[in-house]
Amino acid sequence: MRRFAYCKVVLATSLMWVLVDVFLLLYFSECNKCDDKKERSLLPALRGDAKVGTG
């Protein structure tokens, strides 16, 4: 039973560190500082603003 408790603690701390790493990568990402501000979301495609057949 003690082994299961240790496993839960290891998994919880690992998940916490993964979330911290993802936050830091997104916060300090170079893409946030791009000079050309391109819209990178899916919203234009969902609205139908995207050009169909280009490519």
Side-chain angles (χ1 to χ4, degrees):
M1 197 65 179
R2 189 177 292 184
R3 177 180 273 177
F4 183 67
Y6 288 142
C7 184
K8 284 176 32 176
V9 169
V10 168
L11 286 175
T13 54
S14 298
L15 180 63
M16 189 256 326
W17 281 115
V18 166
L19 292 175
V20 168
D21 289 340
V22 168
F23 172 76
L24 289 175
L25 283 172
L26 290 175
Y27 187 76
F28 291 109
S29 175
E30 296 270 338
C31 186
N32 293 335
K33 301 175 186 82
C34 293
D35 291 332
D36 55 339
K37 298 291 183 186
K38 296 179 183 176
E39 189 171 353
R40 299 184 188 274
S41 68
L42 291 175
L43 191 58
L46 294 175
R47 284 192 309 233
D49 294 344
K51 295 178 183 174
V52 179
T54 59

